[in-house]
Amino acid sequence: MECEFLGWDRPFLGLAVEWLLERRDAMPAMLVVVPTAQAGRRLREALAESTGALLAPKVVTPGHFLDTGEAASDAIELLAWIETLESTRDWEPYTAAFPVPPGEGEAAGWAMGLAKSLAGVRMSLQENALTLGDAARWLSKTVEAERWQALSGLEGRVERRLAAWGYKSRSRLLAQGGFQVAPGVQRIVLAGVADLPGAVRNVLGQSTVPVTVLIGAPAGEEAGFDALGQPVEAWHSRVIEWPEPGDVVLAADPRSQAAEALQRVARAGTPSDSLALGSADEATAGELVRAFGRAGWKLHDPSHVPSAPLLAWLGAWRQFVAQPGAAAAIDLLGFPESGVLVGGRRAQRVAALSTARDQWLARGREDLQRIAPLERRQPEGVELAEATLAALEKRRTTFLGEGFHAGMRRLLSMIDPEGERSTGILGWLDTTSGVAGEVRRDPGFWIDLLRGTAPEPVAGAPDDRVLDVQGWLELFHEPGRHLVVCGMNEGLVPSRASTDAWLPEGTRKLLGLSHDGTRAARDAYLLTAMTAARRHDGRVDLLLAKAGAGGDVLLPSRLLLAAGEEDLPARVGLLFREVEPPDSSLAWTLDDAWKWRPRMVGKELRIGVTSFADYLACPFRFYLKHVAGMSAPDPERVEWNARDFGNVAHVVVERWALDAEARDYSKTEAIEAWVHQELDRVLAERFGAKVPLAVRIQRESMRQRLSWFSKVQAAERASGWRIAEVEKKFEIEIDGVTLVGRVDRIERHDDGRRRVLDYKTTAAAAVVESAHRTAVNAATRLPVHLENVAEVLCTSPDGKAKRWKNLQLALYSVALGDVDELGYFALGATEGDVKISLWDGFCPADRESAAGCARWVIGKVRDRVFWPPADKATYDDYEVLALGRTLGETVAWEGGAA
């Protein structure tokens, strides 16, 4: 074992390459160890650039010495832990580790989380080639002894289960040792490896092949390293000089760090081949890619793991397999992979299912079959939704019938016929198929196991990239003269202390694992060496953030505070000063390019009497609702909204009124029995026998309202009012535009009077006139689109000035002609709010005024005048489009204006 100190007057990579080239004849027989795969790539590139065609050494990472080859996969080991935990009936021997027996009172699947935790502990111990049993012996004289002895007992059962399946665990194989260096290797060279796992140290210590350690430090620093070149813990108590030339920059957040990094590179005029750029923070690495990309430099972040769409699709498929309903089908159809399962048209199928859920609270295929006869406006939508669920349920049945492994292979052959994206999953299936017959597990379990242990996708580096954003440990092997490091915050450099309940920092130290002290020493050395290497010919900029991407407060790295007494106050002042948020001085503006430009929709002009209120309130919101057909569906709800509640109430009283015998009842009890029975029938039509709990509660509220309705209706019938017509539709033409409506209830009195009533299910009964027009005076500020519009003004019977805001009942009078009384039959939330409210004093002048207002609205709609929008709306369905401002500020309207 020999250590060679290469100095730190230049970046380490160049020094290491020179050392290797001086021994070029021996390089083919060398095994060169570097800290990370990215560092290995850099070393190979540097050797190739320096020598061209040359037999290079084999370059590996420390993990090479921990390769066991034949060990059980992570999935199989995790499965063994789950089987062991779930088969444990007596937890008495393990009370030191589990005072409360696991699984008691917990949902099915509880063992998965605990198994992952214990398997993770075993994986951490592999750093020093320890099993849980070994750890128990190491800790036998500590307060943790009994707990680790209990874990050792569980581990023994897991090992026996694996042996029964024909496997050995990686932990067991590492503990047994016996790693053999490949034939032909005559020298092992550790090239700038400042963090060797204990298990690798053991292998190298017992190796018969000579080991040479290359250390990026001058010869006078021998006391700072052990025999394998690892920085001793004394490093983290040394003073660390700040870079010169260079800066330490405190920024507000990751985005600001990236902007500052770009600014310093530009100011220094650093070319890409002289820049070493890195970040200890993943969020800042992503911001660096975006910031430099906007400046024309395409960067690549090797730490960014691309999403695995097939694994995400599997999550949605698992949900559908467990609960094959409309909600799970919509999620599943959100993935392109599902198109082949239903024959395409994913968007249309999702729309059909969402509409059925929104309008009918349809949960599954049975609900769709029930509501099909009730859907008259768009029956083809319900048919498509039902056909979609039928197709997916057929795939599900086949999948369940074939068993998980065979069924999954069939699905993958359909959604990825070329096998380009499913190679890793197919390999996983091959690995686990041998134990599938040993355990009895449902497909949901296998999918969870697959998603939790499938190999992560590898990010391919784009060929046209200018630079890679390196991680903290990779930067030591970067040759660039200008070093820019982001993320110099505590918890990142050094990384945060262990929060593992099984392996706290003190326990890790006792077991010979990496701990806070060793990480701090390693990072203190790396920062010192990288800074010193550019002191005479280069530049170093260190950046840190005041807050993280989520707004969490960050502290500066302790390494930046490693100063002498005379320098510490200045450092503290700089690192803890207040930093203005990057947008604190900016006024909120929205560039025209980002404003929403609604498309103009041309459609036949048919205006409903209830929609005039929307135009009078806001012409643009009228356009969105009635012309563009925009609405905010809520398919995720599990209860009736106000619209559903009103619709069901209308259906019940309409059916009652259509029954010639029932509508003539004059006894409260008879009416009440009829409407209660019809309410139950309506719910059975929509939900079958399984009415959702929330709807059952709402049903009882409606039942109470219908009881109060029965009492009022009986009194009205006794006073001489009879129902003449129900849900009477009408169409009239005003100035070339068709006006449509539907009157809930038309009555005749025994004395010949005619009355029109409209059902309302709001909680409180409304005053009819107040619902249609509001008072105005000299201080009243009208909406912009109604300013100086005489047609919207009117006068009440008492001579007061009013403004029309709703024309519904007044237009009923226009359409039906001879009407003596207009009003609401309120079905409110209390007995006092279930009553008939009439429009007192409504007269022909009111009817003519309402007709004039309607003609003004119709003229505007016919001329496509839907602007400007009102600043505020009483019930604003489009508030989200205003981004917290007004629609006038966030929308670029290109249609007509008032």
Side-chain angles (χ1 to χ4, degrees), residues 323-338:
Q323 296 180 323
I330 290 171
D331 290 342
L332 185 61
L333 290 170
F335 293 89
E337 291 82 2
S338 301

Side-chain angles (χ1 to χ4, degrees), residues 258-267 270 272 275 277 286-299 466:
E260 291 283 358
L262 176 62
Q263 187 179 78
R264 273 153 181 75
V265 172
R267 188 181 301 161
T270 306
S272 60
L275 178 63
L277 179 64
E287 292 294 347
L288 286 169
V289 172
R290 287 183 280 276
F292 277 77
R294 288 191 291 270
W297 283 24
K298 185 170 185 177
L299 303 189
V466 174

Side-chain angles (χ1 to χ4, degrees), residues 317-469:
W317 176 249
R318 186 213 187 289
Q319 183 183 6
F320 185 80
V321 169
Q323 296 180 323
I330 290 171
D331 290 342
L332 185 61
L333 290 170
F335 293 89
E337 291 82 2
S338 301
V340 69
L341 304 181
V342 294
R345 300 180 65 200
R346 287 187 303 119
Q348 295 90 330
R349 295 176 189 275
V350 167
L353 286 165
S354 297
T355 300
R357 293 189 70 208
D358 182 49
Q359 295 184 355
W360 299 95
L361 293 185
R363 298 157 296 177
R365 192 177 172 193
E366 290 183 2
D367 288 345
L368 292 170
Q369 292 171 337
R370 263 193 307 275
I371 67 175
L374 306 177
E375 177 55 70
R376 296 167 186 162
R377 288 183 300 174
Q378 293 181 318
E380 65 281 358
V382 176
E383 292 175 7
L384 181 61
E386 196 275 332
T388 301
L389 285 185
L392 290 175
E393 287 179 9
K394 181 179 179 181
R395 301 295 184 191
R396 174 181 177 270
T397 301
T398 302
F399 175 74
L400 294 176
E402 291 181 331
F404 171 77
H405 284 74
M408 185 54 60
R409 286 192 178 92
R410 178 187 292 274
L411 281 176
L412 291 175
S413 69
M414 296 174 63
I415 65 178
D416 184 29
E418 303 298 326
E420 297 176 351
R421 294 172 295 146
S422 56
T423 303
I425 296 177
L426 290 171
W428 188 96
L429 292 172
D430 292 338
T431 300
T432 57
S433 59
V435 296
E438 304 288 341
V439 298
R440 300 186 64 179
R441 294 287 179 175
D442 60 54
F445 171 87
W446 284 109
I447 293 176
D448 288 341
L449 187 65
L450 167 57
R451 296 184 71 212
T453 58
E456 288 186 346
V458 178
D463 294 333
D464 59 343
R465 73 189 186 282
V466 174
L467 203 65
D468 288 337
V469 181

